[in-house]
Amino acid sequence: MIPLPVFWKKDLKQSAGAGGRLGPAMQRSLDQAAARLEVKLTKANTATYHAAMKRTAKAFGVKGPKAITDKTALAGIAARSKISAASIVNTQATRMAALVAQHGSRSAAQPSYDEWAKGQQARIAQFEAGQTANNAHRDFVAQNTLEGTERAVPFDAQCISCQDAIAAGAVPIGTLPEMPLHVNCVHSVVATYTMPQDPTTLWFGA
């Protein structure tokens, strides 16, 4: 699991303005919390990316990389983690600020916030892992000239947003949209590649 920031346990009176808008002091606190979360997300997402590349290498019968060392791949992971961290922190803080405005104080708002936040960590971890694994697949396809097919799985989980991808079945690699398509999405992309003459020359993030 990815530990989430706990900045909302401070006094949030300054964030409980009209309509739950965040004040300058709170925004600075958010920026700091997002920076800390960015570090944690980058570490977790790099590990997920590495694991995805090792699984792909194993499917080709070769040894996976000891670490992800490709600078472009690492920069992509870091950039996506930064965007995710800012989005996560702002969503959580805006929710808390609105609850403080509604209930009149942080202590009164805390139970409602805790109930809302209870499932956040698992949902965020699932989404980040799925998105990062998909990015690893896309990067692998972009770096290696391979033919094959891809499909969205599992078939028995019908998110409304994912129905078209599921119904498409096996399609040429690069056809499906990036998955997961939404928070709580359980779908991912599985690819079947045509085996190259020398799999040891493939790019696996190192």
Side-chain angles (χ1 to χ4, degrees):
M1 292 294 182
I2 302 167
L4 299 181
V6 292
F7 58 86
W8 53 79
K9 291 185 178 179
K10 300 177 182 178
D11 185 2
L12 293 182
K13 290 182 181 179
Q14 58 193 339
S15 69
R21 291 191 297 271
L22 305 178
M26 186 58 189
Q27 189 60 57
R28 287 193 296 272
S29 179
L30 292 187
D31 292 341
Q32 293 168 0
R36 292 191 296 271
L37 181 57
E38 178 188 340
V39 172
K40 294 174 182 177
L41 282 177
T42 299
K43 182 177 180 180
N45 289 341
T46 301
T48 299
Y49 192 101
H50 184 207
M53 285 299 182
K54 288 175 69 175
R55 288 193 300 270
T56 302
K58 185 177 181 180
F60 282 94
V62 299
K63 190 175 182 179
K66 292 182 178 179
I68 301 301
T69 58
D70 185 276
K71 292 182 178 180
T72 301
L74 290 172
I77 294 169
R80 289 187 291 268
S81 296
K82 183 174 184 177
I83 293 171
S84 291
S87 176
I88 291 166
V89 167
N90 276 288
T91 296
Q92 292 174 329
T94 300
R95 177 69 172 180
M96 183 54 164
L99 289 171
V100 170
Q102 177 184 343
H103 293 281
S105 70
R106 186 197 62 77
S107 58
Q110 194 70 50
S112 296
Y113 178 86
D114 290 342
E115 182 64 27
W116 173 81
K118 192 177 295 182
Q120 281 292 95
Q121 188 166 332
R123 287 193 293 270
I124 289 169
Q126 179 190 47
F127 183 80
E128 288 294 318
Q131 187 178 57
T132 301
N134 179 77
N135 289 333
H137 163 65
R138 295 301 182 198
D139 289 352
F140 178 77
V141 170
Q143 292 288 339
N144 300 292
T145 305
L146 295 173
E147 296 182 353
T149 60
E150 63 184 10
R151 66 185 189 280
V153 295
F155 297 114
D156 58 349
Q158 292 288 335
C159 309
I160 294 177
S161 301
C162 303
Q163 287 181 350
D164 289 344
I166 294 296
V171 294
I173 286 177
T175 303
L176 292 176
E178 293 189 5
M179 303 186 90
L181 291 177
H182 54 87
V183 176
N184 291 333
C185 183
V186 298
H187 292 105
S188 59
V189 175
V190 174
T192 301
Y193 304 99
T194 302
M195 184 64 69
Q197 289 186 343
D198 184 6
T200 63
T201 63
L202 294 174
W203 179 92
F204 294 104

